[in-house]
């Protein structure tokens, strides 16, 4: 009855079942779900409490209660219940109850990463996300959890959007809204200041049932910033639909720092049988912007540069379940894109445009057993580009380029030794970049990529990880791929230039000291060979060269929830990036060392009010500039304070937030290594947003 949309009559049937068998913990848990759906406050919590007492070893009530407590502004207690459900589920973060009457498909669609994000515990959320995916690569909720968590890391856009794609293909029909901006990479200011956070599905239901939901969000702020988002989603029998639109615009914090972005999305999914699901998605994006990256020298920007991008894409997907242990995924994307870059500086006039038609197809097979998981797949990409550019003066130069690539991969997670998971795999990439006008600009890469990782849990609260692997940055559409994004928790798809060959080495330890204290350390190194187009002024010709880059990254975190309404966090982040003198990339630096020490505090009151503050100490030094104008040695040390207050509306109607970035209007010099998603600006930025759910 509930599945057909009759929550009232279905709920009364479960009430009768509970009255006939009052000591049944699982039925009590489902009765709590009914009261949650009916927004009958306290009754749902009461049923979960009774269920916990009746069967202390069942993870079900802890799982549901974590979702409930998050929506009533009790994220600290939600985290404790979620951790307890993981512990009772053999320390596996595969979120589902033991009863499985409805497979908990709706509950597992909940963005559980928001619990960690609200607390400011993003690193802990990432750890749980990696555990989830490695435990069961076919679990759609695990991939969604990891996608929502990746937003905490710089230059992880490919990983974030790829995990989202895998989650969508694996998911059952559900009413979770498809945020237009969520599947887009390089969101620029949207990712930090957009009209809604990436984890938007805060109030999704716990039962899949025929219904319609409306989500609306609005934003206003300083620098003429405003935006809005509206999404309609619904379920009818074996069909789910979602349609949404996002608009965001701002003048930015300095000259030519403006941005105007429109994103639209329409998504449909149908279950043909209980084993076969198909889906289709249409996406549109239109962006106009100036020169946005934040560089160390605040005057180092192009005042006359204008960029515009317009893309349309259609994605088709198939999910076929052969057996509960065997899944097949198919994805096909076709895209049309127009790019333009224009700089009207009289001393450096440039007018560049590209029209591109592309398509990409991928297929993947997932097999899992108690001790062994295997992910195998292949993909093909093809693109036709027509480039036209005017450099200094007419006439325009026209060039045509064909890009195609195909890849094969096989990953296995082996758990034959207790508490030890070995990740062994390999991929083969074949990447070809054919320039019709000049063979000197061709790029042909055929590469074998070994993958090795190990995860060891000597005791339940300690996790040790290590990995070494090679990867090639091939061309992919919408920055989305079905290939696994990580090896033992170490990301392998960074936002590098196309054709980049990289090795990554890493070790990490994650520790749960007590039920309220968590910590960890991660150290990694990347060695990258980046192809680039070199212009020889002596011969006035261009050809492809390669530059050697090196990156060292370290992170440490300590999270503490001393009481039920307080969360404290301390982190350390280190980046040491070195680039070849001849090619430093669009960020314009040769060397950079950055130390960051974020310290956070959050207060969460059951009445709905919360307040959060984070102060970050930054110490950065490096060589900034380019080979033509020379490099400048520079350094700066400063503190930045961000603060926010929010109120959750009653009956889970929505959320109102007032946020201030750079509270004390601190001026500083800083080179952002992830210009597509800036985390701060040298000016106070105030914004207010409201999100409503009906």
């Amino acid at each position: 009855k509930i599945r057909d949309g009759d929550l009232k009559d279905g709920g009364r049937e479960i009430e009768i079942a509970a009255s006939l068998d009052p000591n049944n913990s699982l039925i009590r848990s489902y009765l709590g779900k009914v009261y949650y759906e009916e927004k009958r406050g306290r009754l749902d919590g009461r049923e979960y409490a009774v269920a916990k007492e009746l069967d202390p070893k069942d993870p079900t009530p802890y799982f549901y209660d974590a979702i409930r407590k998050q929506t009533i502004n009790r994220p600290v207690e939600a985290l404790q219940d979620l951790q307890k459900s993981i512990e009772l589920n053999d320390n596996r973060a595969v979120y589902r109850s033991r009863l499985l009457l409805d497979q908990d498909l709706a509950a597992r669609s909940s963005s559980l990463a928001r619990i960690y994000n609200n607390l400011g515990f993003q690193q802990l959320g990432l750890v749980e996300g990696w555990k989830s995916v490695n435990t069961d690569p076919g679990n759609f909720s695990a991939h969604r959890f990891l996608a929502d968590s990746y937003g905490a890391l710089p230059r992880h856009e490919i990983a974030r959007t790829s995990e989202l794609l895998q989650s969508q293909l694996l998911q059952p029909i559900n009413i979770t809204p498809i945020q237009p901006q969520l599947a887009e990479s390089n969101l620029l200011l949207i990712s930090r200041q957009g009209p809604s956070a990436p984890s938007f599905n805060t109030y999704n239901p716990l039962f899949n049932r025929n219904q319609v939901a409306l989500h609306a969000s609005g934003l206003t702020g300083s620098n003429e910033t405003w935006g809005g988002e509206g999404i309609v989603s619904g379920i009818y029998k074996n069909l789910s639909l979602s349609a949404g639109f996002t608009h965001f615009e701002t003048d930015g914090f300095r000259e030519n720092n403006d941005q105007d972005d429109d994103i639209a999305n329409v998504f449909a999914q149908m279950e043909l049988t209980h084993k076969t699901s198909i889906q289709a998605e249409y996406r549109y994006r239109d962006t106009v912007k100036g020169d946005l990256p934040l560089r160390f020298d605040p005057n180092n920007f192009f005042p006359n540069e204008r960029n515009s991008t317009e893309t349309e894409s259609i994605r088709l997907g198939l999910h076929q379940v052969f057996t509960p242990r065997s899944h097949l995924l198919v994805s096909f994307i076709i895209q049309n894109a127009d790019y333009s870059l224009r700089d009207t500086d009289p001393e450096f006039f440039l007018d560049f445009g590209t029209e591109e038609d592309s398509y990409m197809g991928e297929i993947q097979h997932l097999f899992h057993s108690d001790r062994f998981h295997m992910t195998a797949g292949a993909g093909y990409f093809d693109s036709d580009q027509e480039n036209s550019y005017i450099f200094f003066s007419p006439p325009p130069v026209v060039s045509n380029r064909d890009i195609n690539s195909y890849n094969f991969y096989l990953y296995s997670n082996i758990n034959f030794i207790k508490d030890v998971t070995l990740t062994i795999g390999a991929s083969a990439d074949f990447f070809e970049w054919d320039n019709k006008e000049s063979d000197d600009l061709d790029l042909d890469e055929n590469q074998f990529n070994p993958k090795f990782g190990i995860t060891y849990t000597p005791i339940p609260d300690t996790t040790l990880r290590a990995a070494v692997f090679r990867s090639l940055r091939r061309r992919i559409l919408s920055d989305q791929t079905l290939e696994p994004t990580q090896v033992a928790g170490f990301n392998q798809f960074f936002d590098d230039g196309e054709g980049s060959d990289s090795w990554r080495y890493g070790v990490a330890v994650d520790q749960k000291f007590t039920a309220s204290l968590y910590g960890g350390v991660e150290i990694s190194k990347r060695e990258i060979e980046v192809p680039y187009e070199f212009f020889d002024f002596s011969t006035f010709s261009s050809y492809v060269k390669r530059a050697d880059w090196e990156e060292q990254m370290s992170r440490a975190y300590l999270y503490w929830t001393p009481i039920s309404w307080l969360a404290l966090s301390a982190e350390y982040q280190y980046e040491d990036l070195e680039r070849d003198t001849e090619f430093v990339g669009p960020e314009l630096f040769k060397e950079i060392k950055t130390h960051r020490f974020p310290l956070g505090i959050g207060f969460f009151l059951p009445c709905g009010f919360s307040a959060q503050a984070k102060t970050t100490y930054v110490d950065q030094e490096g060589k900034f500039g380019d080979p033509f104008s020379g490099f400048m040695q520079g350094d700066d040390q400063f503190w930045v304070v961000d603060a926010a207050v929010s109120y959750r509306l009653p009956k889970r109607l929505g959320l109102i937030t007032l946020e201030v970035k750079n509270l004390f209007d601190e001026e500083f010099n800083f080179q952002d290594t992830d210009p597509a998603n800036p985390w701060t600006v040298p000016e106070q930025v105030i914004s207010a947003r409201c999100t409503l759910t009906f």
Side-chain angles (χ1 to χ4, degrees):
K1 288 184 176 180
I2 293 175
R3 180 63 185 84
D4 289 337
D6 193 345
L7 178 63
K8 183 178 179 180
D9 284 354
R12 301 300 76 79
E13 297 285 359
I14 294 181
E15 282 185 328
I16 294 172
S19 67
L20 294 174
D21 191 0
N23 293 324
N24 189 312
S25 169
L26 293 168
I27 294 179
R28 290 283 190 175
S29 292
Y30 271 74
L31 182 56
K33 284 177 64 173
V34 170
Y35 291 149
Y36 176 90
E37 291 286 275
E38 295 177 336
K39 298 185 179 180
R40 299 171 69 178
R42 298 185 180 179
L43 290 181
D44 50 1
R46 182 195 67 186
E47 294 301 325
Y48 296 147
V50 171
K52 292 174 185 177
E53 291 182 2
L54 291 174
D55 189 353
K57 295 184 179 181
D58 183 12
T60 308
Y62 292 96
F63 171 50
Y64 294 154
D65 209 13
I67 298 173
R68 179 188 73 91
K69 287 175 178 175
Q70 167 62 21
T71 61
I72 59 174
N73 209 46
R74 294 163 63 182
V76 174
E77 297 173 75
L79 175 64
Q80 294 170 349
D81 278 349
L82 188 58
Q83 290 290 325
K84 184 66 175 179
S85 73
I86 294 172
E87 177 186 331
L88 293 173
N89 195 27
D90 299 325
N91 285 309
R92 296 179 301 168
V94 179
Y95 308 107
R96 60 195 302 180
S97 77
R98 187 158 55 88
L99 185 56
L100 299 180
L101 283 177
D102 58 357
Q103 295 293 313
D104 281 322
L105 298 179
R108 289 161 59 201
S109 299
S110 299
S111 179
L112 296 171
R114 66 175 181 261
I115 296 176
Y116 299 89
N117 293 338
N118 285 172
L119 293 170
F121 292 2
Q122 287 90 348
Q123 294 297 328
L124 183 60
L126 284 165
V127 172
E128 296 297 355
W130 293 323
K131 288 182 180 178
S132 298
V133 170
N134 291 333
T135 298
D136 184 0
N139 187 323
F140 77 93
S141 55
H143 288 284
R144 180 58 190 267
F145 187 108
L146 190 53
D148 289 342
S149 299
Y150 265 137
L153 298 179
R155 296 181 296 130
H156 278 58
E157 289 294 275
I158 296 176
R160 180 181 64 81
T161 55
S162 295
E163 289 293 339
L164 176 69
L165 172 63
Q166 295 169 47
S167 173
Q168 287 181 316
L169 286 171
L170 288 165
Q171 72 184 12
I173 60 169
N174 64 80
I175 202 170
T176 301
I178 304 297
Q179 248 183 297
Q181 60 170 290
L182 194 61
E184 296 291 339
S185 63
N186 300 322
L187 292 171
L188 307 165
L189 296 180
I190 293 180
S191 64
R192 304 299 181 186
Q193 302 174 185
S196 55
S199 181
F200 187 70
N201 52 329
T202 303
Y203 303 115
N204 58 302
L206 297 187
F207 283 108
N208 266 352
R209 56 191 173 96
N210 295 345
Q211 62 174 324
V212 176
L214 172 64
H215 306 261
S217 183
L219 164 78
T220 184
S222 53
N223 300 321
E224 299 296 325
T225 300
W226 69 277
E229 182 169 75
I231 306 174
V232 178
S233 59
I235 293 179
Y236 180 70
K237 295 184 178 180
N238 62 337
L239 175 68
S240 64
L241 297 168
S242 178
F245 178 79
T246 294
H247 174 78
F248 176 80
E249 67 177 71
T250 180
D251 286 347
F253 72 95
R254 58 161 164 77
E255 180 186 356
N256 201 33
N257 192 240
D258 61 297
Q259 176 190 349
D260 191 317
D261 210 340
D262 291 317
I263 307 175
N265 172 282
V266 179
F267 175 86
Q269 180 173 352
M270 176 177 287
E271 289 186 345
L272 302 179
T273 70
H274 68 286
K275 290 187 174 184
T276 306
S277 172
I278 59 173
Q279 56 185 239
E281 183 176 18
Y282 169 79
R283 299 215 305 263
Y284 172 82
R285 185 176 185 184
D286 185 9
T287 303
V288 179
K289 58 186 175 68
D291 184 17
L292 301 186
L294 177 61
R295 303 183 180 96
F296 188 83
D297 181 358
N299 297 315
N300 187 7
F301 68 94
F302 300 97
N304 302 300
E305 178 183 302
R306 303 301 298 170
N307 298 269
S308 67
T309 304
E310 185 176 9
T311 61
E312 283 187 284
S313 64
I314 296 174
R315 179 180 65 83
L316 304 176
L318 167 70
H319 178 202
Q320 176 67 48
V321 180
F322 298 114
T323 70
R325 297 181 181 272
S326 177
H327 301 251
L328 179 71
L329 302 180
V330 179
S331 174
F332 180 79
I333 305 174
I334 184 170
Q335 183 182 89
N336 172 262
D338 291 328
Y339 311 94
S340 72
L341 167 62
R342 183 178 176 86
D343 194 320
T344 58
D345 189 324
E347 297 182 0
F348 185 79
F349 181 84
L350 174 66
D351 191 348
F352 177 82
T354 296
E355 292 186 17
E356 183 174 16
D357 292 310
S358 311
Y359 67 88
M360 183 175 74
E362 292 184 282
I363 187 170
Q364 181 183 89
H365 181 254
L366 298 166
F367 174 80
H368 61 94
S369 62
D370 294 337
R371 298 292 183 183
F372 178 79
H373 305 294
M374 184 183 70
T375 303
Y380 179 77
F381 172 90
D382 184 85
S383 172
D384 292 325
Q385 281 186 1
E386 182 177 296
N387 303 310
S388 173
Y389 63 90
I390 300 175
F391 192 50
F392 287 111
S393 63
V397 177
V398 178
S399 66
N400 294 278
R401 179 184 297 162
D402 289 338
I403 303 174
N404 64 75
S405 66
Y406 51 98
N407 66 298
F408 306 91
Y409 58 85
L410 176 65
Y411 294 79
S412 59
N413 290 328
I414 304 169
N415 190 217
F416 292 133
I417 303 175
K418 184 180 180 182
D419 302 322
V420 176
T421 300
L422 293 177
T423 301
I424 301 175
S427 67
D429 289 289
F430 305 88
F431 180 79
E432 184 177 355
W433 188 342
D434 181 18
N435 191 289
K436 299 294 185 180
E437 283 68 38
S438 174
D439 293 340
D440 291 333
L441 294 177
D442 289 350
L443 181 64
D444 194 354
E445 294 282 350
N446 299 324
Q447 184 168 298
F448 176 76
N449 308 300
K451 320 281 184 180
F452 177 77
I454 182 171
T455 303
Y456 175 42
T457 308
I459 56 177
D461 295 331
T462 302
T463 302
L464 305 175
R465 298 182 286 117
V468 56
F469 51 86
R470 188 185 190 188
S471 58
L472 179 73
R473 172 63 164 93
R474 67 180 189 276
R475 187 72 182 277
I476 54 179
L477 275 184
S478 303
D479 282 346
Q480 291 184 301
T481 179
L482 294 184
E483 185 174 349
T485 64
Q486 49 82 34
V487 177
F490 293 90
N491 176 50
Q492 63 172 340
F493 294 125
F494 287 82
D495 302 332
D496 301 321
E498 293 175 10
S500 296
D501 171 15
S502 66
W503 281 90
R504 189 177 188 190
Y505 316 87
V507 294
V509 57
D510 301 290
Q511 178 68 48
K512 179 180 178 181
F513 298 103
T514 69
S516 61
L517 184 64
Y518 310 84
V521 177
E522 178 181 295
I523 301 172
S524 68
K525 178 181 179 180
R526 296 182 71 221
E527 297 174 348
I528 317 161
E529 188 179 83
V530 184
Y532 67 98
E533 182 177 334
F534 177 79
F535 183 78
D536 190 339
F537 285 95
S538 62
T539 60
F540 289 93
S541 60
S542 298
Y543 52 91
V544 174
K545 293 186 67 175
R546 302 177 190 277
D548 292 324
W549 292 4
E550 188 174 292
E551 301 179 356
Q552 297 183 46
M553 298 167 287
S554 302
R555 297 196 302 269
Y557 67 92
L558 189 66
Y559 300 142
W560 187 31
T561 55
I563 50 181
S564 62
W565 48 267
L566 178 64
L568 303 172
S569 64
E571 299 181 37
Y572 169 67
Q573 303 162 7
Y574 174 69
E575 280 186 320
D576 183 357
L577 311 181
E578 295 184 10
R579 297 184 171 180
D580 194 307
T581 302
E582 289 189 356
F583 180 69
V584 297
E587 296 85 5
L588 302 182
F589 66 84
K590 182 183 184 299
E591 299 176 5
I592 190 171
K593 294 182 180 180
T594 307
H595 302 265
R596 286 197 283 188
F597 299 87
L599 303 172
I601 184 171
F603 303 90
F604 308 91
L605 304 179
C607 63
F609 283 98
S610 61
Q612 295 172 290
K614 176 175 285 189
T615 178
T616 304
Y617 175 73
V618 180
D619 183 342
Q620 186 178 73
E621 64 176 348
K623 293 182 180 180
F624 310 94
D626 60 72
F628 302 102
S629 59
F631 297 97
M632 173 191 69
Q633 183 75 37
D635 66 272
D636 199 3
Q637 300 80 36
F638 56 91
W639 290 88
V640 173
V641 178
D642 302 325
V645 293
S646 61
Y647 175 67
R648 290 183 180 271
L649 300 175
K651 300 291 185 180
R652 301 198 298 274
L653 289 176
L655 181 69
I656 300 174
T657 302
L658 175 65
E659 183 177 16
V660 183
K661 298 279 190 181
N662 195 354
L663 178 64
F664 298 109
D665 200 18
E666 180 75 15
E667 294 184 6
F668 50 80
N669 294 344
F670 178 74
Q671 175 77 45
D672 201 331
T673 57
D674 186 18
N677 298 285
W679 73 278
T680 187
V681 293
E683 178 185 281
Q684 184 186 83
V685 178
I686 303 173
S687 62
R689 68 166 61 94
C690 178
T691 300
L692 301 175
T693 302
F694 304 97

